[in-house]
Amino acid sequence: SCNTRRTPGNCGAMELSADFERALDERDLSGILQEMRRRPGQIEVQQAASDAIFRCVQHNPSAAKEVVALGGLQDLSGAIKGNVGHRDLCTESCTALWRLCREGGFAVAQAAIQQGCFEALKSVLDAHPEGSAPNEAALLALGCLADHGMVSIGGKDQVEMGTKKQKGKATALIRIIPEQGF
C-alpha cells in the first residue's frame, strides 16, 4: 500500500510532491495549475492535474470559470499538445476540457476556442484511432463545443471550427477533412 497519491491506475508511478498533494486534497485550482506549469514534461503530474480539474469543476460552474480565469484552458491544451501520443493523459485532459465547457457554458466554450483547445482536440483525433478512449474523449469535448455553436461536426471524419459572423469582426471557417488514399 502507498501513503502517497499515485496517478490513477498506475501504482508504480512517481510520487507527487507534498504541495501538489495538498492542492489536490483541498481542490485548490490555482495550486493544481501552478504544478502543471512547473512540471510540464511530467506526464503523471499533467494527468493527475487534469483529473483533479475534472473533479473540481463537477457541478460547479464558478469553478469552471475560475479555471479559465487562471489560464487552465491553455494548460490543458498544452498538456495534450506536448504529449499527444500518451493515451491516458489525452483521455484525462480531453474529459477535463469537456467538463469545463459543460459546466461553464457558452463563455467557457468560446474561451476554449480562443485559447487553442480546438487544435489540441483535433490533434487527439489525428493521433488516436477511432473508438479509442482518447479519441472518444476528444469527440465528447468537441460535441460540447458544437452544442454551444463553436464547431460543427459533419460526416464521419469531418470537424470544422467556425465563429458566428458579426459585423466588423473577422471570421474564420476551418474545414478539417482526413486525407484520402492509402
Side-chain angles (χ1 to χ4, degrees):
S1 87
C2 306
N3 291 343
T4 57
R5 184 184 308 252
R6 309 281 181 165
T7 53
N10 189 357
C11 195
M14 64 173 238
E15 293 182 15
L16 301 177
S17 74
D19 288 342
F20 193 37
E21 286 277 344
R22 180 202 52 75
L24 293 173
D25 290 340
E26 296 177 6
R27 294 182 172 221
D28 173 11
L29 290 166
S30 179
I32 291 166
L33 294 170
Q34 285 174 4
E35 196 69 13
M36 282 184 86
R37 294 175 190 136
R38 194 170 72 81
R39 301 195 284 171
Q42 293 182 358
I43 289 172
E44 295 86 355
V45 169
Q46 301 301 307
Q47 187 177 339
S50 296
D51 178 61
I53 291 167
F54 175 89
R55 293 172 190 278
C56 289
V57 302
Q58 187 172 9
H59 309 299
N60 191 345
S62 63
K65 291 173 182 163
E66 181 183 354
V67 170
V68 174
L70 293 169
L73 292 171
Q74 294 160 330
D75 295 325
L76 287 166
S77 61
I80 292 170
K81 290 176 186 176
N83 303 285
V84 75
H86 194 278
R87 179 183 171 92
D88 294 335
L89 171 62
C90 286
T91 302
E92 293 290 346
S93 296
C94 288
T95 55
L97 287 173
W98 166 76
R99 175 68 73 190
L100 284 164
C101 291
R102 184 172 183 273
E103 297 297 335
F106 179 81
V108 172
Q110 188 173 40
I113 291 295
Q114 294 168 350
Q115 296 180 30
C117 295
F118 175 79
E119 293 81 4
L121 293 167
K122 179 63 177 115
S123 71
V124 173
L125 293 180
D126 293 340
H128 296 276
E130 186 177 327
S132 66
N135 187 284
E136 293 293 321
L139 285 172
L140 186 67
L142 287 165
C144 192
L145 292 172
D147 290 345
H148 292 294
M150 298 294 124
V151 300
S152 62
I153 301 174
K156 181 181 172 195
D157 292 317
Q158 184 178 339
V159 178
E160 58 186 39
M161 176 176 70
T163 57
K164 296 182 178 178
K165 293 183 181 181
Q166 296 177 1
K167 188 174 180 179
K169 301 270 183 176
T171 61
L173 176 64
I174 301 168
R175 188 172 298 242
I176 299 168
I177 301 172
E179 292 182 26
Q180 302 296 318
F182 302 111

